[in-house]
Amino acid sequence: MMERRRMDAALLVLFLVHLATALEVPLDLLEGLPQPPTITHQSPKDYIIDPRENIIIQCEAKGKPHPSFSWTRNGTHFDIDQDPNVTMKPHSGTLVVDISRTKAEQYECVYQCTARNKHGTAVSNNIVVRQSRSPLWSKEKIKPIVVQEGVSLVLPCRPPAGLPPPIIFWMDNNFQRLPQSRRVSQSLNGDLYFSNVLREDSRNDYICYARFPYTQTIQQKQPITVKVLNLDAINDTMAAFYNDTDLFSEDPADERKPTFLIPSGPSSSKMVLRGQVLEMECIAEGLPTPEISWTKNSGDLPVNRTSYLHYQKTLRIVNVSESDAGDYRCTARNKLGTVYHTIHIMVKAAPFWISGAPRNLVLAPGEDGVLTCRASGTPKPSVTWAMNGIPIENSPKDLSRKVEDDTIIFSVVQSGSSAVYQCNVSNDYGYLLSNAFVNVLSETPRVLTQANKVYQVIKNHRALLDCASFGSPIPRITWFKDSRSSTLDGDPYMHHDNGTLEIHVAQAHHSGKYTCVARNTLGIYENHVYLEVKDPTRILKQPDYKQVQRGRSVVFECKVTYDPSLQPTVTWLKDDGELPDDERLIVDFDSLTITDVTENDAGVYTCIMNTTLDQDSARAELTVVGATPTPAVVYERPDPPTDLELTDKKKRSVQLTWTPGDEHNSPIQKFLIQYEDSLHHRGHWHNLTEVPGTKTTAHLKLSPYVHYIFRVLAVNSVGFSRPSFPSRMFKTEPAAPDENPTGVHGFGTEHDNLVISWKPLTGLQSNGPGLHYKVMWRQKLMESDWTKVTVANNSKFVVSGTPTFVPYELKVQAVNDHGAGPEPAIAHGYSGEDLPVAAPENVQAVLLNSTLSEVHWDPVPPKSIRGHLKGYKVYYWRERSLHKHNPHHVEKQILTFSGNHTHGILPGLHPFSLYSFNVRVYNGKGDGPPSPTQQFETPEGVPGPPTSLVVTNTNMDTLTLEWNPPHDRNGHITGYTLKYQPVNNSNELGPVEELALPANATSFTLLNLKYSTRYKFYLNAKTVRGAGTAISQEAVTIMDEAVTSRQVDIATQGWFIGLMCAIALLILILLIICFIQRNKGGKYPVKEKEDAHTDPEFQPMKDDDCTFGEYSDNEDHKPLKGSRTPSNGTVKRDDSDDSLVDYGEGGDGQFNEDGSFIGQYSGKSVSRETAEGHESSEAPSPINAMNSLNSFV
């Protein structure tokens, strides 16, 4: 058991080490180095192509030797040489399909690319190639819609299904977007919704357009005519006429509370994938127009990812995460009431990487390594492995390789075992496929950083010296300076894992030659670089605030000090922009002169001194006044203090005095005293203390082992003065530390160790050279001696070989060359945890009801827990239902009870079922062993509703009901209860009849029912626990034949025949009047017809706002931009009579082959003139007649 644990610990360490040190072979730098193939570029998984262009399926890979490529199509080998339309690019796997001689749909398949060389095989994703489609709108004749003012209305769009789906928008005949508002808006599926209609909604050009983005074509639906009428404005005769023609089915609309048009019902549900965009919509009707608002029942909406569209009717959440799951409620409200709808959102997730895709491994023979393919998803994805494109279970066995779920462990790899491994992670919503190679190499070290490279840094800044290397085994990097007397370790040097050497605060003495040495078991390699530390660029004389009279000259000074090897350049800005191009502005190296000043020269001027390594800047304001300004008090920052002097010098204190500078008409408010520690942080100034502006002396408390230099700044209402010149240096003597480290903690990372950590002291807290720490520990409750160890340049210590989960007392004391700090306080911690070794005892279940059980157990003794008790877990599952008709179930569930619980409730159980369960204790390391599995049976419960209820054999006074038993019986069915009652035309329910039916019945015939009557039926099942939920159904008995005959006889009555004749005569007179009015003016030009009845002709679309360009009325019938026409420049009209002429007034229109309208109205066709003769005028169409009728009415 102990050996097994040691092996697991060793594997974990190896896993972490190789994750941190996995190498990519740098092919571009190391020629001839072998490497298995790596896919570098491939087409997307879902690849939509333009059918008008050649198909290009990408597949690029690298490797040494360069890989060869092959393809599969729909899972079988694709022989490219046998297809004359397909070629492969040279030195590449990319396919090019020439569609000039074939159709693109022949190549709509699933493709996969394989790249192989002698070291392995890599495969691409499955690339599903589909061509984009922009189908035509189905032809239809849309009848005019006549509605009453105030009611709701939905105008359907129903665009043709394209790939990808089209973009929908509504426009009028003039190609202008239809206005939308809280009352009128477009839904997500493209339909146009009116919460209530107004008289101004009447128009005959509601047109739905669909734009297909890939082919850049637009299709339009036939125009929809909407007429909104108000019965109060129509005389009684015409109102009766409209009612007789069934134009209205209800009384005039009054104000009403909101109801939802979509979605329907009180609740609905929706599923969305993690990372996608979630759009929920609620559109309500009502009068006045309802307002829509959104809330989330279980929390707040994500502020940064939430937006509202379509006047609050659509809630949009981008980049969906699991936290967005839950119930969302939309509220529709007006002054008459409120209505709610709840949308339950379920968030699923296609597989996604937790810590990135598997990384390539470069191993030396005999080394160990780990490939990890760790991903997550909802539902949990499955992981499969392949080697060189072949499932790993079918690959040659390799004793050095062990597959454990999402991990492959390699032990003592051998030469020649290089391969490419494929990890496939998939669930119901997608998959991830990743290639990772294991490259077994024996290579001597090589340093990739340029030899003799020169690094330049500014003094007191960080310096980074690179030493990028490659080798197998991975080389170990060491650094030397100049004479190579010793390696560069410890302060101020720090080594990075990639070989880079860092100097925290570079000083002049750090300049010189540095040698980087890369070493492994096969050899050694050296590289030299150079570091030059430069003086910083600083502005000594800053420009001052200037107030100058108009017409005078002004000079801003900007004197700078810099490293002689870095020539600075000066840049002047005005108000953070470039200087005006004006010869009056003269720029010298250390000044800016402005002659003949004007009011436009007023502003803020900035001086910027730049070198290749750093820069410094300063700014000042220029105020321009009149030629004879009124004397004014000028307020400026104070001058810096002078004459700094140190007196009363003691070990840990000193007195500082100074002389204030000129206040410049603003009293000094305070003095700020700063210090520089030239021993530890040269060049960095720190605030020490502040004193009131009335004092010129400060008593300063100091720390040991610091080389102090002081300076003073004065502050008034304008701002800070420049710093004073520094004082003389004052060195305090070193001493033992005054304090010990804080934040002492003890914890275990393994079951047999104790990690002691603390917050180290700063250089200022060290009080002297040689700072280190005395770390002490002993087991608690054991009067043993303290074990001690000395630690330097670290803030933690690992104690190995400790017992599992034992309390310890800990102390950490600071020590330097001058003594130890005070006695440290005792902290407490525990050694590492291990899995519990005991299971809970006396486990039993107590049934509370048919869906609830309480589980009891005795607590596990603390010694057996071997860690911090986190709680208990109850594993339970439904074995099967106790009913013979129900299938076998295994639904494992886990309930966690945090803390020291001894019982817990199992909710949501299925009645009349057999359950198994066990209990486990768990700590910070994981679960303990399970208790013996026990079982219990839940009692019977009430059944669910019958699965179906169907009405058959309907007669005048009888009908038959047929049903199936409930799916969830939850016990033995003892019978059924049937209730039924009549329903009149006002939906009022009549008296209820109730029948008891036997348990084995599945149908029943009802007798003596009333003819032509609607009935409502309710059927529920019963067990010994009571009746379950009912299922309902409605049916109508057949009308009596005698009554039907009497209704038919009405048509033979004389009065009815006379009434019909009168109505027919009235309609005939109206049609004659309309015909006379239409032909009274004779013929009229085609242009007037176009103006009166604009045909919906496609125009070029603007990409930014989806509106059309200017309508062209030229006579040359120019086609729509981007549309295709035959080579002879003509467009042949389809022989079908189902054309634009059939749907409205006008001449022939021209359409291209994809259905886009590309012409304009023309005159009468030759065929029509021949058929009708030259003497006849245009025949009135039914639409014209209806328009005339509407005008008359």
Side-chain angles (χ1 to χ4, degrees), residues 731-744:
K731 300 180 181 180
T732 55
E733 297 296 327
D738 295 326
E739 55 186 312
N740 290 310
T742 58
V744 179

Side-chain angles (χ1 to χ4, degrees), residues 103-128:
K103 293 184 178 180
E105 54 260 28
Q106 295 182 5
Y107 294 90
E108 290 185 298
C109 301
V110 180
Y111 297 84
Q112 188 173 38
C113 171
T114 300
R116 59 170 53 86
N117 64 16
K118 64 181 181 179
H119 302 295
T121 301
V123 297
S124 71
N125 293 320
N126 285 327
I127 303 170
V128 181

Side-chain angles (χ1 to χ4, degrees), residues 273-299:
L273 291 182
R274 177 182 184 268
Q276 291 188 347
V277 176
L278 169 62
E279 290 184 328
M280 298 171 280
E281 69 175 349
C282 283
I283 301 179
E285 67 93 17
L287 194 63
T289 302
E291 292 185 358
I292 304 295
S293 60
W294 293 86
T295 56
K296 186 178 182 184
N297 292 350
S298 56

Side-chain angles (χ1 to χ4, degrees), residues 956 1011-1013 1037-1047:
M956 273 199 321
Y1011 66 83
S1012 187
T1013 301
T1037 55
I1038 296 176
M1039 183 179 294
D1040 184 40
E1041 295 180 1
V1043 176
T1044 304
S1045 65
R1046 287 196 297 272
Q1047 293 176 347

